Amino acid sequence: MKQFFILSIFLYMTNLLADIVDIKADHFYANDINHEAYFEGNARIKQGENEFNASKITVFFNNKKKAEKYIAKGKVTFNLIENNIHYVGQTDLLTYSPKKSKYLFKGDVILRDLTNNRLIKAEFVSLDLKTGLADIKGQAKRPVHFRFEIEDRK
């Protein structure tokens, strides 16, 4: 049964959003009962041009074996292109929900928007790509740092 679950994970992931999902890590294991797959040690997930690198990546599946959520933990770096905006950065924890098009970044977030020349440093960043809403939070001793360019008023 475990082999069937693992096989179905990889068959689904190769068809996810019409892009191939490529995950590499030093160690892989799955929990068939909880519908979870774990990739540990130099974990890297790549789909199209998007990439996360972390110490550990967990993939959560629904009962139909479709990926519902990805969580990357431990020295996470990312390179994402969403809605023609190129983001790069790092954080302690990244959660991505593909169906909802939501990204959550937690812990020492550095998010660079290379397309619009913006930089965000915060403790928590939530990006909802369907609605275009962002929620950014800092801490008392480390407030949100937001740097951006404005057009010349000439």
Side-chain angles (χ1 to χ4, degrees), residues 73-116:
K73 294 181 182 178
K75 298 182 181 178
V76 180
T77 60
F78 53 89
N79 185 0
L80 310 168
I81 298 175
E82 294 286 349
N83 299 332
N84 296 318
I85 299 175
H86 189 179
Y87 302 99
V88 296
Q90 62 191 47
T91 187
D92 295 333
L93 180 120
L94 184 150
T95 303
Y96 172 54
S97 301
K99 190 174 182 179
K100 297 177 183 177
S101 292
K102 286 188 178 181
Y103 287 92
L104 298 173
F105 306 89
K106 293 181 183 177
D108 292 324
V109 181
I110 298 174
L111 178 65
R112 288 182 171 84
D113 172 348
L114 299 179
T115 305
N116 298 303

Side-chain angles (χ1 to χ4, degrees), residues 5 8-10 12-13 16 21-24 28-32 34-40 43-46 52 56-62 65-73 94 96 98:
F5 176 70
S8 64
I9 288 171
F10 287 107
Y12 167 73
M13 292 175 83
L16 182 65
V21 175
D22 183 29
I23 302 176
K24 295 181 181 179
F28 164 80
Y29 61 100
N31 183 328
D32 194 19
N34 293 339
H35 305 290
E36 298 172 2
Y38 306 92
F39 301 86
E40 293 184 342
R44 175 181 165 263
I45 185 167
K46 187 164 173 58
F52 310 147
K56 180 178 181 178
I57 296 173
T58 306
V59 183
F60 299 87
F61 295 89
N62 64 19
K65 305 205 181 341
K66 301 216 180 217
E68 293 280 314
K69 178 170 53 174
Y70 301 90
I71 296 179
K73 294 181 182 178
L94 184 150
Y96 172 54

Side-chain angles (χ1 to χ4, degrees), residues 5 10-11 14 17 36 40 50 57-58 63-64 67 69 81 83 100 107 121-122 127 133-134 141 148:
F5 176 70
F10 287 107
L11 289 175
T14 58
L17 298 176
E36 298 172 2
E40 293 184 342
N50 294 344
I57 296 173
T58 306
N63 290 334
K64 295 179 181 178
K69 178 170 53 174
I81 298 175
N83 299 332
K100 297 177 183 177
K121 292 183 181 179
L127 297 176
L133 296 175
K141 293 185 180 184
F148 59 95

Side-chain angles (χ1 to χ4, degrees), residues 133-148:
L133 296 175
D135 184 17
I136 304 167
K137 297 176 183 167
Q139 293 180 330
K141 293 185 180 184
R142 290 180 50 198
V144 172
H145 177 197
F146 187 42
R147 187 178 70 207
F148 59 95

